[in-house]
Amino acid sequence: MRILLLCSSFNGLTQRSWLELRRAGHDVSVELAVSEEAMVEAAELAKPDLIICPFLKERVPDALWRTHRTVIIHPGPPGDRGPSSLDWAIVDGEPEWGVTALQAVEEMDAGPIWGYRLFPMPPEPPRKSSLYNGPVADAAVELVAEVAAKAGDASFVPVPLDYRSPEVRGRLRRAMRHADREFSWAEPSEQILRRVRAADGSPGGRTVLGELPVRVFDVYRGPDLPGTPGAVAARREGAVLVHTGDGTVWVGHLRVEREGAVKLPAAMALGELVAGLPERPGYSEITYDRSVGVGVVSFDFYNGAMSSEQCRRLASALRYAAAQDTRVLVVRGGETFSNGIHLNVIEASPQPELEAWTNINAINAVCREILDCTGQLVVTSMAGNAGAGGVMMGLGADRVIVRDSVVLNPHYRTMGLFGSEYWTYVLPRRVGAEQAWRLTQEALPIGAAQAVELGLADKAVAGSRMEFERRVLEYAERLAADPGYDRLLAARRQAREADERRKPLDAYRAEELAEMSRDMFDDRNGFRQARQAFVYKAPAQATPEHLARHREWSGASAPSIAGTSHM
């Protein structure tokens, strides 16, 4: 079928939907809902058999749903209505939640139901972003495929919404207001966690800290320490420890409520207010663990952004791991594997261009530690999405293993950058020069199965994040115990030495940085504007050019994509 995806943004969920539909052989066009006129015009151009709207924030124009089958993917169980569904589910501690596919009608979220998925909510209050990118996205992508299949069945009729049905358990909920986001540090830690995580990553929990009105993000339980609620007790790796009504919480990120302020690591946002505080253990973005013959460096950076300081700490951890008497090194990312340099920290710097330059050199040092680790085999464990330099960083390993729900964006062009992280070495080494050029120039997402087919990844593994990490560790342990281990390690060393003789890594780095200097300091491709649009969440004015190019229907099926494998 011809399917038009109408979306508020081409984010991870929409990208997964786009990839899934293309895998099924559909012609898929994408249009950002920047205006009613743009949506209507997109449908006139595409002449779709079906319109799917994954979590569309805007109202579908009457002219669209009256003339085209239009299905909304709503982040709530049957009967749930309103724009703050996930927020209320977290605040209210719902034990179960879901995603519903429903047909667009005049009244929002009230159309007949095409299908739904339910899932248990975790007992620990989840971050809204984690919920959205995890079970909600998984359910939504399944529903998108189901809707497309049902649309091809002439006998299918969606079920009218009926609140008398036992399957319809949701209700209309109002939009969350500013007052609903506010909290006091005198409240119990549990309530603060729930309130903040329901607003993470936007718009954040509202409170006052150090007499500053702030938005709070990225909170974790701290130790049970006595103290005055709202007093900052300590700091650690950019986070601050704040007393609550019954203990403490670690606050990872803040945004001070003033014009031009951006979301930053909490200690950086508070500046001199916490400069003299002691460092206290108990919070760490980077850890090192050992099992049988395997060392694991785990890092979990908020939203996958890596500042200069975070890169320096990660490079140090990798150097330490490479010096240990283990046989395999696993480089394990977090909820988001990595999206490369930290655009918010760069934008907040007094000299953004200089900080961007410092940041790209710092992340290059991380990549170099992975590439230069020839005393162990290296395995990259990607349980979460990756983009730009984050993808290239992972490609320096011997084995790249991705979770089957992962989306990779191996390109820099949409941010106005040539790119670094040794991509001109690691990407062609895996996929060939022609494919490397296509991936970086087309700037389109790649699903896990397609990544395996192209050679970007070696295996795609199904399961939850915890199951995925367990299976990657088991794979690494088998690799460490493999009778052919010495041969494999010798081959890694020989390949690296041969590549170094052919062209040193320093040469790749110098060539890339020469291009990056023109992008960062001369701004030849609009890096400053793209960075600021990202940081300040500027609404899109039109569908980006690299997506608009793919609006024209080719009439050809999408290329076949290899399935996932299991370890």
Side-chain angles (χ1 to χ4, degrees):
M1 288 185 295
R2 291 182 173 183
I3 299 176
L4 173 62
L5 280 183
L6 277 183
C7 51
S8 300
S9 67
F10 196 53
N11 60 14
L13 169 64
T14 312
Q15 291 176 12
R16 282 183 64 185
S17 301
W18 181 79
L19 289 163
E20 183 70 25
L21 291 169
R22 282 165 53 89
R23 281 184 65 192
H26 301 294
D27 284 330
V28 190
S29 176
V30 176
E31 184 71 25
L32 299 190
V34 296
S35 68
E36 285 198 5
E37 293 76 16
M39 288 188 269
V40 172
E41 182 183 2
E44 290 173 350
L45 288 171
K47 297 179 174 54
D49 303 305
L50 175 68
I51 299 174
I52 301 179
C53 308
F55 299 177
L56 184 68
K57 297 175 184 177
E58 296 75 14
R59 188 178 183 279
V60 178
D62 290 357
L64 224 55
W65 63 261
R66 290 186 189 279
T67 56
H68 297 81
R69 285 186 301 178
T70 303
V71 178
I72 310 293
I73 308 297
H74 175 75
D80 179 81
R81 297 168 59 195
S84 304
S85 296
L86 297 183
D87 314 59
W88 286 119
I90 297 168
V91 166
D92 293 343
E94 295 285 353
E96 183 180 63
W97 205 240
V99 178
T100 306
L102 47 92
Q103 193 153 324
V105 295
E106 188 166 3
E107 194 173 357
M108 285 190 73
D109 303 333
I113 296 170
W114 283 60
Y116 66 91
R117 295 288 188 280
L118 301 177
F119 53 82
M121 290 281 279
E124 174 80 5
R127 289 200 323 219
K128 183 170 65 172
S129 53
S130 301
L131 186 64
Y132 180 93
N133 293 317
V136 170
D138 292 343
V141 172
E142 284 185 17
L143 276 176
V144 164
E146 180 180 321
V147 165
K150 286 178 175 177
D153 179 0
S155 65
F156 172 74
V157 178
V159 180
L161 176 63
D162 182 357
Y163 281 95
R164 295 169 299 180
S165 168
E167 294 182 348
V168 178
R169 294 176 242 174
R171 67 181 190 275
L172 174 63
R173 300 172 190 243
R174 62 175 173 81
M176 267 204 177
R177 306 185 183 106
H178 287 314
D180 299 314
R181 311 281 189 188
E182 293 173 354
F183 69 91
S184 164
W185 295 108
E187 295 175 31
S189 297
E190 172 74 17
Q191 290 184 24
I192 293 172
L193 285 172
R194 198 170 288 282
R195 186 77 59 187
V196 173
R197 289 180 176 176
D200 209 336
S202 177
R206 302 180 74 195
T207 191
V208 175
L209 187 59
E211 300 184 357
L212 289 173
V214 294
R215 297 276 186 161
V216 181
F217 310 84
D218 189 26
V219 292
Y220 303 88
R221 296 181 193 277
D224 188 11
L225 298 174
T228 305
V232 183
R235 55 185 290 169
R236 170 79 173 174
E237 295 184 0
V240 296
L241 185 66
V242 184
H243 288 288
T244 67
D246 63 354
T248 63
V249 293
W250 285 104
V251 177
H253 284 75
L254 292 171
R255 189 181 77 236
V256 179
E257 294 266 49
R258 64 166 175 255
E259 178 133 7
V262 301
K263 188 191 306 184
L264 293 170
M268 183 180 295
L270 295 173
E272 291 300 317
L273 291 175
V274 298
L277 288 176
E279 290 270 337
R280 180 186 175 91
Y283 170 91
S284 186
E285 297 173 311
I286 305 169
T287 59
Y288 179 72
D289 299 287
R290 293 177 60 141
S291 65
V292 183
V294 178
V296 182
V297 172
S298 300
F299 58 95
D300 195 351
F301 300 132
Y302 186 64
N303 291 339
M306 297 172 61
S307 69
S308 301
E309 175 57 31
Q310 289 169 318
C311 289
R312 283 190 281 269
R313 285 192 271 111
L314 182 54
S316 178
L318 290 168
R319 274 194 301 277
Y320 173 84
Q324 304 309 300
D325 60 346
T326 51
R327 293 162 70 87
V328 175
L329 169 60
V330 175
V331 181
R332 175 193 288 168
E335 180 183 316
T336 300
F337 180 79
S338 171
N339 284 318
I341 58 178
H342 203 309
L343 298 176
N344 281 39
V345 170
I346 290 168
E347 183 61 26
S349 171
Q351 296 178 283
E353 289 74 23
L354 183 58
E355 177 56 33
W357 183 253
T358 302
N359 201 164
I360 201 66
N361 277 278
I363 198 171
N364 279 351
V366 174
C367 300
R368 190 64 179 262
E369 293 297 334
I370 295 172
L371 287 166
D372 282 346
C373 180
T374 56
Q376 302 178 37
L377 294 176
V378 184
V379 175
T380 296
S381 174
M382 288 189 181
N385 296 347
V391 177
M392 309 309 173
M393 181 177 76
L395 298 186
D398 300 283
R399 305 285 189 276
V400 177
I401 305 176
V402 297
R403 192 170 160 221
D404 66 347
S405 59
V406 158
V407 176
L408 305 179
N409 277 279
H411 55 81
Y412 305 82
R413 193 168 67 83
T414 55
M415 195 50 64
L417 294 173
F418 175 81
S420 194
E421 292 97 0
Y422 300 94
W423 81 262
T424 53
Y425 169 64
V426 296
L427 188 59
R429 182 179 66 164
R430 278 195 158 262
V431 304
E434 183 179 341
Q435 189 70 262
W437 183 90
R438 187 181 68 81
L439 292 173
T440 53
Q441 294 304 305
E442 287 191 348
L444 294 172
I446 302 296
Q450 187 180 3
V452 173
E453 182 185 67
L454 293 175
L456 275 175
D458 297 290
K459 291 180 182 291
V461 178
S464 68
R465 177 177 163 187
M466 187 177 299
E467 292 167 337
F468 171 81
E469 290 177 350
R470 175 181 57 79
R471 293 171 69 183
V472 173
L473 182 59
E474 289 171 352
Y475 171 78
E477 289 171 347
R478 291 198 302 271
L479 196 58
D482 193 308
Y485 173 84
D486 291 337
R487 175 181 53 79
L488 294 171
L489 185 62
R492 171 177 172 80
R493 287 175 175 155
Q494 290 165 7
R496 179 80 283 283
E497 289 168 1
D499 287 349
E500 189 70 10
R501 287 193 299 270
R502 189 178 304 111
K503 182 176 179 178
L505 285 176
D506 285 344
Y508 288 100
R509 177 178 175 273
E511 290 170 356
E512 291 170 0
L513 289 178
E515 300 287 346
M516 289 290 273
S517 69
R518 297 178 64 193
D519 291 333
M520 290 177 169
F521 295 106
D522 299 339
D523 198 30
R524 62 174 174 174
N525 289 313
F527 171 56
R528 184 181 299 115
Q529 182 179 356
R531 180 185 74 234
Q532 292 174 346
F534 174 86
V535 168
Y536 295 110
K537 304 295 182 283
Q541 301 302 308
T543 300
E545 179 201 353
H546 70 290
L547 294 179
R549 285 204 319 268
H550 291 262
R551 282 192 299 195
E552 296 180 5
W553 303 107
S554 64
S557 298
S560 61
I561 297 175
T564 57
S565 60
H566 300 269
M567 295 190 298

